[in-house]
Amino acid sequence: MLVDLNRCASDCDACVTACDKENGLPAEKTATSAQWIRKVELKDMRGQVRSLPMMCQHCAEPPCVDVCPTGASFKRADGIVLVDRHTCIGCRYCMMACPYKARSFVHEEITNQLPDVPRGKGTVESCTLCVHRIDQGEKTTACAEACAEAGHGAILFGDLNDPQSEIARRVHTVASRPLRADLRLDPGVRYEGL
């Protein structure tokens, strides 16, 4: 995923709303509500403020996977990092290991779940890059689609391993970088204008 911070509007939360709807997350947030994507404001040394969508960064070297005692946190061959809710014991080690604070714990029973996005009380969850869509042959995530529909086009999703894909070409032609490059986790999410 490539996020162009020059196009990300601080007053827009279309990506957050779309993610909540796509995954059956509550629109009304409480202190313990799951949040798979959130908008954060970054201020640089000159006082310039940037709005940034923050979600699981789908690291090539995910610390959440390294600390999981059951193997519930895992990385697929395509690079998507997921949590198997059937194997997760709710220890939350992965939440502590994530430097991006991108994981949520499900505290309450969940009713009216969406069939493509199973969730469960007592488990950890995070952004899945809409894996249910990808596995069904769709080409983009709900957040990227909503951002385009809102007229910003700040989020681009695709296969970074396919040199012919739009995202691979763009990553090679624009200056982009991961969050916390100093951690050397090689995230699958890059930011332009950071």
Side-chain angles (χ1 to χ4, degrees), residues 143-175:
C143 60
E145 185 175 87
C147 186
E149 289 172 1
H152 302 296
I155 302 175
L156 179 61
F157 177 80
D159 184 355
L160 285 167
N161 294 322
D162 175 5
Q164 302 306 314
S165 70
E166 181 182 356
I167 190 169
R169 288 193 311 267
R170 185 128 168 243
V171 164
H172 283 74
T173 59
V174 300

Side-chain angles (χ1 to χ4, degrees), residues 32-163:
T32 60
S33 293
Q35 194 168 15
W36 293 8
I37 184 172
R38 66 190 190 279
K39 293 284 291 273
V40 297
E41 298 291 321
L42 299 180
K43 184 186 271 188
D44 68 15
M45 300 300 271
R46 297 169 299 197
Q48 184 179 16
V49 177
R50 297 276 186 172
S51 183
L52 180 143
M54 174 69 79
M55 72 288 284
C56 174
Q57 300 292 294
H58 297 276
C59 304
E61 303 295 331
C64 57
V65 171
D66 291 342
V67 300
C68 182
T70 65
S73 287
F74 66 99
K75 184 176 78 166
R76 292 182 5 155
D78 60 6
I80 297 175
V81 178
L82 299 173
V83 178
D84 180 343
R85 72 179 181 96
H86 298 292
T87 310
C88 179
I89 59 173
C91 69
R92 300 177 234 183
Y93 288 167
C94 61
M95 290 177 71
M96 291 182 274
C98 178
Y100 306 105
K101 299 188 184 329
R103 293 201 160 194
S104 299
F105 183 76
V106 182
H107 292 272
E108 307 294 330
E109 288 292 334
I110 299 170
T111 57
N112 301 322
Q113 292 189 53
L114 301 176
D116 289 336
V117 189
R119 302 175 60 221
K121 180 181 178 182
T123 62
V124 175
E125 56 187 21
S126 66
C127 166
T128 65
L129 289 177
C130 292
V131 71
H132 58 285
R133 286 175 158 221
I134 305 311
D135 288 349
Q136 293 171 4
E138 292 188 44
K139 300 293 183 197
T140 195
T141 61
C143 60
E145 185 175 87
C147 186
E149 289 172 1
H152 302 296
I155 302 175
L156 179 61
F157 177 80
D159 184 355
L160 285 167
N161 294 322
D162 175 5

